[in-house]
Amino acid sequence: MGLEDVQRRFDRKLAKEGVHILRDANQWKVREDVFDEVTLLALYRFVQKKLITVVGGPISTGKEANVFYAEAGDRALALKIYMMRTANFKAMMDYIDGDPRFSGIRRSRKEIIFVWTRKEYANLSRARDAGVPVPEPIAFDRNILIMEFLGKDGQAFPPLKYAEGVDYAATYAAIVNFMKLLYSKANLVHADLSEFNILYGDRPYLIDFGQAVTRDHPGMVQFLERDVHNVTRFFSQHCDVLEERMLLMEIIQEKPTQVDAITE
Ligand SMILES: Nc1ncnc2c1ncn2[C@@H]1O[C@H](COP(=O)(O)OP(=O)(O)O)[C@@H](O)[C@H]1O
Ligand SMILES: [Mg+2]
């Protein structure tokens, strides 16, 4: 059975469940790239469990994942769907190997993506438990992660890179504190921290945790140095910042402190 048949069947099933799919020309294009059989099946299972009642349009179409707007009842959600076809399996393995939580897994290409999705879910949970503002992880299945939608009136908060009216000094202080909390409380290093993976709304949020690793990962120091470098590079264009070495020391050595109101 071709993919189009599967999609048609899927649409009929969804219609029977009363799920309403919003479509536009742009979304059709995305659907072809993203919604392979594995994805449709995982999506369908979420629908059956009523974890999703509305599937909306794409919020972001990246190289390895696409993020869609969705709803469950009146709750706004973001669906992050990792693409089976374009995933960079080798790069993914660098962040899976060495993390004791995910060692000893089967390593077919499919399995790597499924582990990656589970890893992002686990990382978001840990970060959240440590008090770092991240989207609340709600569920995962195969290559799909469901999380809280960060935005207002269906409009996602912009990445810090494109945000307007930013209080940079306060945001820098908040991000430094988030890095400390991640390191000392969640035992995690984000490993892809930059102005693109910070959403700026009513407060700053960290997103995109698939590659985040525990502190015992052998590449941890290098990942942390890179995060420190990216954060320093960006904020130094807008406000006073610590020297990279100082920031690194502060994250590694000191207990996190509540810097100010926006970090609460
Ligand atoms: N929970 C969310 N709520 C709202 N928008 C989100 C959420 N998660 C991701 N996005 C949007 O999707 C984009 C890509 O998500 P991200 O997790 O960074 O994936 P990628 O691996 O493609 O960078 C983000 O820049 C943001 O615009
Ligand atoms: Mg990202």
Side-chain angles (χ1 to χ4, degrees), residues 101-224:
R101 295 172 299 165
F102 302 96
S103 55
I105 55 145
R106 220 176 76 224
R107 281 167 192 173
S108 69
R109 291 157 76 87
K110 250 191 208 174
E111 189 66 18
I112 291 171
I113 299 226
F114 298 165
V115 168
W116 191 259
T117 309
R118 178 155 64 91
K119 184 162 169 270
E120 175 150 30
Y121 181 94
N123 288 337
L124 286 171
S125 306
R126 264 186 195 235
R128 193 176 153 84
D129 290 348
V132 180
V134 299
E136 178 190 350
I138 293 166
F140 68 92
D141 188 0
R142 313 288 180 102
N143 58 327
I144 306 182
L145 170 68
I146 305 184
M147 61 186 145
E148 171 190 7
F149 175 75
L150 299 177
K152 218 180 147 215
D153 304 326
Q155 200 65 33
F157 292 141
L160 181 58
K161 165 85 178 169
Y162 306 114
E164 282 168 15
V166 177
D167 180 343
Y168 286 104
T171 305
Y172 174 69
I175 299 302
V176 168
N177 196 43
F178 298 165
M179 292 175 87
K180 287 178 174 181
L181 285 169
L182 272 184
Y183 187 85
S184 65
K185 277 201 168 172
N187 192 35
L188 284 179
V189 171
H190 185 286
D192 191 20
L193 195 56
S194 77
E195 60 275 27
F196 296 98
N197 285 330
I198 298 168
L199 296 191
Y200 190 83
D202 47 341
R203 65 198 284 181
Y205 296 84
L206 303 189
I207 61 162
D208 205 356
F209 274 75
Q211 71 295 316
V213 298
T214 49
R215 276 162 51 178
D216 32 28
H217 190 290
M220 182 280 282
V221 174
Q222 204 191 320
F223 298 151
L224 183 58

Side-chain angles (χ1 to χ4, degrees), residues 56-122:
I59 302 169
S60 156
T61 54
K63 225 169 42 228
E64 283 166 4
N66 291 284
V67 179
F68 288 80
Y69 177 79
E71 290 174 3
D74 51 14
R75 181 151 202 214
L77 306 172
L79 298 185
K80 186 167 182 182
I81 303 181
Y82 283 100
M83 283 183 289
M84 310 296 285
R85 244 186 293 159
T86 54
N88 183 345
F89 297 96
K90 198 187 156 315
M92 285 179 159
M93 279 317 294
D94 291 343
Y95 294 86
I96 291 173
D97 269 339
D99 189 321
R101 295 172 299 165
F102 302 96
S103 55
I105 55 145
R106 220 176 76 224
R107 281 167 192 173
S108 69
R109 291 157 76 87
K110 250 191 208 174
E111 189 66 18
I112 291 171
I113 299 226
F114 298 165
V115 168
W116 191 259
T117 309
R118 178 155 64 91
K119 184 162 169 270
E120 175 150 30
Y121 181 94

